[in-house]
Amino acid sequence: MYTAVVIILMVGVALGAPTAPSPCCAPDQWEGIIGQNIGYDQEGKAGVRKGYLTMSYDYTDRLLEVFTHLNDSGSGMEVNSNVIQNYKSGKQYVIQGQKCTMTDLPGMMQQQCIPKNATFQTSLYYGAGSSTLMANSFTFPRTGMTVDVSVTQDGCIPIGESVYGSINNYAFFEVMGFINVTTGIKDPSVFNIPSSCPHVTPQHPSHQFDGLLKYVSDKYRK
């Protein structure tokens, strides 16, 4: 359901822009659903991951919560995990079922901004007639990757993002679409550590930090 939305959200109509807009920052608090399609090649083994994430992003209180559901055609694995990052305490928790693992979370939380070195691509709109949503598209490099992103002109709300590159012999092309985005945090309890976490193991299972899952985990850290 959600993965089908991704392709639709990434298609807009380009418009000429007389003045290139400057990079912008998303709201300090927002929540939404992110559909994902990921094609990858990991040391000669190719596959496709499809699924979605639900995200609560709180830069004000330095908190991030992401639930991930992915199906991997290459391994046949289904991933259902919940990641909670608390930058004030410097801890990250990964919850899978009743199992909870924890690692230290070094560094600071990164504000969700299009970087200053981003290149403006074009202005565009989604929809038709009087029901249009105006957006801007930017591209920028990230270590080992290239990121293309579209955001609303009003509010810098993410709409679509594509990422391609290679991480630790993991080559991939990812397309994401953002839907049902709201500003603020409706229920702060999403950041609460579950009762299954008092006796956590000190390290995550290795697969949680391979390839794209590592990229998602590290995306908002600097």
Side-chain angles (χ1 to χ4, degrees):
M1 172 183 176
Y2 296 121
T3 54
V5 178
V6 178
I7 304 303
I8 297 172
L9 287 175
M10 292 301 293
V11 178
V13 179
L15 300 172
T19 304
S22 300
C24 57
C25 295
D28 284 346
Q29 295 179 320
W30 66 271
E31 298 176 301
I33 298 171
I34 307 170
Q36 285 187 320
N37 281 326
I38 309 150
Y40 69 88
D41 184 304
Q42 189 167 18
E43 297 180 343
K45 185 176 182 180
V48 176
R49 287 180 175 176
K50 296 182 180 181
Y52 66 92
L53 294 79
T54 62
M55 178 181 293
S56 297
Y57 170 88
D58 186 347
Y59 184 71
T60 302
D61 291 318
R62 304 302 195 265
L63 295 164
L64 180 71
E65 185 270 339
V66 181
F67 172 78
T68 301
H69 171 80
L70 289 174
N71 288 294
D72 188 335
S73 67
S75 65
M77 180 179 66
E78 181 178 288
V79 176
N80 289 286
S81 66
N82 190 33
V83 176
I84 298 174
Q85 295 181 335
N86 186 324
Y87 286 85
K88 288 184 177 179
S89 67
K91 299 295 181 183
Q92 173 174 271
Y93 299 85
V94 176
I95 302 99
Q96 290 185 304
Q98 294 301 309
K99 185 175 183 180
C100 180
T101 52
M102 178 186 72
T103 53
D104 292 332
L105 190 64
M108 299 180 294
M109 189 174 190
Q110 180 169 298
Q111 189 175 13
Q112 191 182 9
C113 297
I114 296 173
K116 293 181 180 180
N117 66 338
T119 300
F120 170 71
Q121 292 183 304
T122 188
S123 293
L124 51 94
Y125 66 85
Y126 296 85
S130 60
S131 300
T132 56
L133 178 65
M134 302 302 299
N136 293 323
S137 176
F138 297 86
T139 185
F140 56 91
R142 186 170 282 159
T143 304
M145 297 172 284
T146 299
V147 180
D148 297 316
V149 61
S150 296
V151 297
T152 61
Q153 290 186 0
D154 182 12
C156 199
I157 305 297
I159 301 173
E161 182 175 318
S162 67
V163 185
Y164 58 93
S166 180
I167 305 174
N168 297 331
N169 298 318
Y170 181 100
F172 70 93
F173 182 88
E174 174 197 27
V175 181
M176 295 184 287
F178 297 75
I179 62 173
N180 297 349
V181 175
T182 57
T183 56
I185 303 296
K186 291 189 282 296
D187 182 7
S189 69
V190 297
F191 303 115
N192 292 347
I193 306 304
S195 58
S196 60
C197 289
H199 303 290
V200 294
T201 55
Q203 294 184 351
H204 294 284
S206 61
H207 75 268
Q208 293 180 348
F209 284 86
D210 285 345
L212 192 65
L213 292 181
K214 178 174 175 60
Y215 164 70
V216 171
S217 174
D218 292 347
K219 184 174 182 180
Y220 296 102
R221 181 172 62 191
K222 63 179 178 180

